[in-house]
Amino acid sequence: MTDTEARPTYKYVGTRPIRHDGLDKVTGKARFAADLNMTGQLRAAITRSPHAHARIVSIDTSAAEAMPGVKAVVTGADFPEIDIADAIHDEAVNNIARDEVLYNGHAVAAVAATTLAQARAAAAAVKVEYEELPAILSIDEAIADGAPLANPTTRTLFTGDTEPSNFASIGQFERGDVEAGFAAADVIVEREFTTVPVHQGYIEPHACVADCGQDGKASIWASSQGHFAVRSKTAAILGWSTDRIKVTPAEIGGGFGGKTTIYLEPIAVRLSQKAGRPVKLAMTREEVLRATGPAPASKISLKIGATNDGELTTLAGTMYYSNGSTKGFSALTGAMSVASYKFPNLELHAIGTVDNTPKSAAYRAPSAPQAAFAVETLVDEIAQQLGMDPIELRLRNAVVEGDPTAMGMPHPKIGFIETLEAIKSSDHYNSPVPEGAGRGFATGFWFNIGEQSSATVNLNEDGTATVITGSPDIGGSRASMALMAAEELGLDVHRITPIVADTESVGFTDITEGSRATFATGMAVVNACRELIEKMKERAAVIRGVDVDQVAWIGGAAVIEGPASEGNEPLTIADITAQAKMTGGPLTATASLNAAGAGPSFAAHLADVKVDEETGQVTILRYTTAQDAGTAIHPAYVEGQMQGGSAQGIGWALNEEYIFDASGEMENASFLDYRMPVASDLPMIETIIVEVPNPSHPYGVRGVGETGIVPPIPTLANAIAAATGVRMTDLPMSPPNVLKKINEK
């Protein structure tokens, strides 16, 4: 760990306690959505489109309805029509098709039956007549002159256009004078980069159980990154008010952004409503890959200019991102992530496209890895042409507090330079490059978000505490909440029970996304604890018969100060809660906020690789990551996030890809054929935690969950270039693709 500035000495924050949910998870006791079984429960299956694009002429469910065990069948006709201007329209249509299917795997009907086998057989018996339509399967096809519409309901975001098109969004960022900047440059590099869709790769498929009662209300148990969002989106798609739905969060077996949206819950509720029985609906792995949201494909043309002394003068280019079958703003977030260097002259065109592939979804710093692939490759190439150390070039141009991002907003207090310096002083960077290997370096940025959170902290009669939040724990937030509460209250962290509560038991909380949970929900926990401390001081004053202003909270106890302190021993939390009934009743506090001031995060990665020039196989020999965490609340979790992001970025860089045939059917919809990295593919990933506290958080927290996936792609591309002299500009950098480039050279 690298401490970059003096900070308070904490008793609990920064320690590594055993995780509160660990025992249940390692023993198999933790309950995920597919583990729930209710009395009278039905199983459900979905009928999916075999076409990438087609008009639904008719759907005949009569044969399915007559099959053994079938209790309910639904189609798009069982759901309300939603205006295309409504924010929920695209998600509603993505849940179940209406007039057209927009990708191979699009849901068109669903069946609930007594057994899963019966449900699957009946789903296969649903007869759908299609009229095939032209399918758009790539960015180039989407933007070609005269291209047919991939989705006739698309209206381009940020333009005010009212006519349909294949453009999901169009945006532009600019500052300075780009032409003058290039004229002043001594070196100009320009390349085009392409990436293909990749999946988040969460181990647990999407699953839910819905139980709709005779009172017209539904209870849902779901695996998601935000059960309040499940409630609001399900209600909107069904045309219900949110008070008709209660959502209980199950444990979540990975999400990484892919479980911020919904695919099953409205269908399960409608089936339950029709059947009058609980319904479990769970995807197979094939369905997850065919019919949920991968990270978008991209095509980025970029040009960067620099002077001979290493000043980056200008950046200009066009960034296309495919949103899949509906509109979205993936291109905008890609451009927004260009924020690491002081380009005085900048012009970026950010264009989203629509095609007939699955609707894209967030994936850990969404759209930033594709942008970093382009920017960091060109910056590395400039360093190479100038004969400069790649870290020195970046240090010379690194943004600091007050410098603008691509959007023009000034950076707050950040730790980019400290992160670069951490790698520069690392053992890895100062060791010789292994013989026959190449060393690559790259950086990454993610802005992080705040949003709305709520927390309740209850003190129990024995002096223990319960911390209740609405943030599903996908990266260690239970432990971080408990640690911050422990620090505030002065109570041992294992005397605190962190709970993720249902939508009727805790205040509204936004999705666990954008690296916001420890920052925003943690701030709510801190505020609730501070309110509790004031209440305990008041109770202590009553117990001791002194004025409340004579009571201080020190080391987890109420201490009487001044003349009244003589003979008045400190009162612990247990002392105070034991007398709560006589001094005013239960001790509890709730805090809610719309958090501002999320601290941006930077990461720097270093890799040594060997490339087999006969096969194109890339072997990673050593990998080091440094990242600014602000303050590492639970360092082991921070290291895990850094390592996990690196591992996923490595998979994205070297192997992972959606492969579609000419008709738009995914050819590798299984973990056997969709090549995610396993332990034997990876080295031990070394971590350096940099701490530049975020002044907008009581403990200096910066979100750490997303930035780690941004640098691996350019890090490995730069390492391959150093090893082979070949610049890789298309993903994945798999053995056949690397070998092809080597042979071309």
Side-chain angles (χ1 to χ4, degrees):
M1 180 182 294
T2 301
D3 291 320
T4 57
E5 62 178 64
R7 63 171 174 79
T9 300
Y10 299 120
K11 184 175 182 180
Y12 297 105
V13 166
T15 62
R16 301 170 182 248
I18 295 172
R19 55 192 291 175
H20 294 71
D21 56 329
L23 183 61
D24 282 354
K25 288 191 173 162
V26 299
T27 60
K29 186 179 178 181
R31 298 181 76 189
F32 297 83
D35 294 328
L36 180 62
N37 292 300
M38 303 182 70
T39 302
Q41 174 180 285
L42 304 174
R43 297 300 304 272
I46 292 177
T47 305
R48 298 188 180 278
S49 167
H51 305 294
H53 193 198
R55 183 172 294 108
I56 299 173
V57 177
S58 64
I59 302 177
D60 183 357
T61 63
S62 58
E65 290 167 345
M67 292 179 71
V70 173
K71 305 300 180 184
V73 180
V74 298
T75 68
D78 291 285
F79 296 83
E81 288 295 326
I82 296 174
D83 189 274
I84 62 170
D86 193 307
I88 201 64
H89 173 271
D90 288 352
E91 203 151 0
V93 170
N94 194 52
N95 268 239
I96 190 163
R98 305 306 203 271
D99 301 323
E100 290 185 11
V101 291
L102 301 174
Y103 55 92
N104 182 297
H106 198 167
V108 294
V111 177
T114 305
T115 69
L116 181 58
Q118 290 171 331
R120 287 176 173 169
V126 173
K127 296 178 181 178
V128 186
E129 182 183 351
Y130 297 100
E131 177 191 339
E132 283 196 68
L133 299 170
I136 300 294
L137 300 176
S138 69
I139 291 171
D140 285 340
E141 291 179 15
I143 64 177
D145 290 340
L149 290 174
N151 180 347
T153 68
T154 298
R155 302 295 184 270
T156 309
L157 295 173
F158 317 128
T159 63
D161 290 349
T162 58
E163 294 299 315
S165 77
N166 288 336
F167 292 100
S169 64
I170 296 177
Q172 182 170 322
F173 300 121
E174 56 186 336
R175 64 170 175 261
D177 185 333
V178 168
E179 291 186 8
F182 282 123
D186 299 303
V187 174
I188 296 174
V189 291
E190 181 176 11
R191 290 187 184 272
E192 182 177 277
F193 301 82
T194 66
T195 71
V196 293
V198 297
H199 200 269
Q200 299 84 356
Y202 35 82
I203 300 303
E204 179 205 20
H206 296 262
C208 70
V209 176
D211 186 14
C212 194
Q214 293 184 3
D215 59 357
K217 294 187 176 183
S219 293
I220 301 172
W221 291 262
S223 169
S224 83
Q225 292 178 231
H227 45 299
F228 284 90
V230 171
R231 181 182 69 174
S232 60
K233 291 180 178 183
T234 300
I237 291 171
L238 292 170
W240 291 7
S241 58
T242 55
D243 68 311
R244 292 179 62 181
I245 298 174
K246 172 185 175 181
V247 183
T248 300
E251 292 292 347
I252 179 170
F256 314 111
K259 291 179 181 173
T260 58
T261 186
I262 61 172
Y263 301 99
L264 305 176
E265 288 79 3
I267 296 172
V269 170
R270 190 65 90 204
L271 286 169
S272 176
Q273 186 182 33
K274 271 195 165 187
R277 303 257 293 272
V279 171
K280 179 190 288 188
L281 181 53
M283 285 187 172
T284 63
R285 180 60 56 188
E286 180 183 353
E287 287 180 301
V288 170
L289 287 166
R290 286 180 64 205
T292 66
S298 69
K299 179 180 180 179
I300 299 174
S301 300
L302 211 61
K303 181 164 68 169
I304 295 179
T307 62
N308 283 331
D309 63 358
E311 179 191 348
L312 300 177
T313 65
T314 316
L315 179 148
T318 301
M319 311 172 81
Y320 288 100
Y321 283 77
S322 166
N323 288 273
S325 58
T326 65
K327 63 182 177 293
F329 45 86
S330 58
L332 179 69
T333 54
M336 287 167 62
S337 71
V338 178
S340 299
Y341 305 113
K342 299 178 181 181
F343 291 107
N345 308 292
L346 177 147
E347 183 178 302
L348 278 176
H349 300 270
I351 302 170
T353 62
V354 176
D355 57 37
N356 296 115
T357 62
K359 179 181 186 295
S360 69
Y363 181 13
R364 212 169 189 164
S367 300
Q370 299 96 315
F373 181 28
V375 173
E376 291 292 316
T377 297
L378 296 185
V379 169
D380 190 75
E381 196 167 358
I382 287 171
Q384 183 182 44
Q385 290 193 27
L386 295 177
M388 288 186 68
D389 178 279
I391 295 184
E392 284 298 328
L393 177 65
R394 288 168 171 86
L395 281 169
R396 185 167 298 190
N397 294 278
V399 290
V400 296
E401 183 175 1
D403 286 332
T405 66
M407 295 181 291
M409 301 291 291
H411 277 292
K413 183 178 181 182
I414 53 176
F416 186 31
I417 285 177
E418 291 83 352
T419 305
L420 292 169
E421 290 175 337
I423 289 288
K424 188 178 180 183
S425 61
S426 70
D427 174 73
H428 185 176
Y429 195 73
N430 289 288
S431 65
V433 179
E435 185 177 352
R439 177 167 290 172
F441 175 80
T443 73
F445 160 85
W446 187 245
F447 37 81
N448 297 327
I449 61 173
E451 295 193 329
Q452 302 169 97
S453 285
S454 299
T456 296
V457 181
N458 297 325
L459 295 180
N460 305 315
E461 60 271 26
D462 61 353
T464 58
T466 305
V467 174
I468 305 169
T469 70
S471 290
D473 183 357
I474 62 170
S477 57
R478 282 189 184 92
S480 64
M481 303 305 158
L483 283 164
M484 286 182 280
E487 195 68 48
E488 289 292 322
L489 298 173
L491 186 63
D492 184 86
V493 69
H494 284 119
R495 288 178 63 78
I496 297 172
T497 302
I499 293 173
V500 183
D502 63 68
T503 54
E504 293 182 355
S505 301
V506 70
F508 182 87
T509 300
D510 276 312
I511 296 171
T512 300
E513 64 177 354
S515 300
R516 62 170 296 275
T518 296
F519 170 74
T521 307
M523 201 183 302
V525 169
V526 168
N527 291 349
C529 287
R530 290 179 178 178
E531 182 180 335
L532 263 182
I533 289 169
E534 294 305 311
K535 291 182 178 182
M536 286 191 287
K537 288 164 64 177
E538 292 171 1
R539 302 298 180 89
V542 172
I543 293 169
R544 293 299 192 219
V546 299
D547 291 336
V548 69
D549 57 8
Q550 294 178 268
V551 183
W553 192 261
I554 302 173
V559 177
I560 310 303
E561 296 181 322
S565 63
E566 189 173 343
N568 278 328
E569 293 297 316
L571 290 168
T572 65
I573 294 176
D575 294 332
I576 295 168
T577 57
Q579 301 186 57
K581 187 172 183 178
M582 288 80 75
T583 59
L587 282 156
T588 184
T590 295
S592 297
L593 50 78
N594 191 2
S601 177
F602 289 85
H605 290 198
L606 187 69
D608 296 343
V609 307
K610 272 194 172 182
V611 180
D612 186 328
E613 298 205 4
E614 292 185 353
T615 66
Q617 177 69 37
V618 177
T619 300
I620 303 174
L621 305 176
R622 189 173 183 182
Y623 202 100
T624 301
T625 166
Q627 184 171 327
D628 178 16
T631 297
I633 302 297
H634 191 302
Y637 265 121
V638 173
E639 291 163 351
Q641 291 286 355
M642 295 165 67
Q643 291 166 331
S646 298
Q648 288 182 307
I650 288 168
W652 192 340
L654 298 183
N655 293 109
E656 295 182 40
E657 60 178 324
Y658 271 41
I659 300 173
F660 295 104
D661 67 14
S663 67
E665 181 175 358
M666 187 176 180
E667 295 185 309
N668 59 332
S670 74
F671 276 167
L672 179 64
D673 298 312
Y674 182 87
R675 183 70 169 85
M676 288 173 57
V678 296
S680 58
D681 296 316
L682 301 168
M684 178 59 70
I685 296 171
E686 302 167 46
T687 58
I688 305 169
I689 300 176
V690 176
E691 294 188 299
V692 178
N694 173 14
S696 296
H697 188 274
Y699 290 103
V701 167
R702 298 178 191 274
V704 297
E706 297 181 87
T707 315
I709 201 173
V710 182
I713 297 170
T715 298
L716 294 174
N718 293 339
I720 291 168
T724 66
V726 169
R727 284 283 172 189
M728 298 298 297
T729 56
D730 305 301
L731 292 189
M733 295 178 285
S734 57
N737 291 342
V738 172
L739 184 60
K740 180 182 177 182
K741 281 283 190 177
I742 290 173
N743 289 337
E744 287 175 356
K745 184 189 72 168

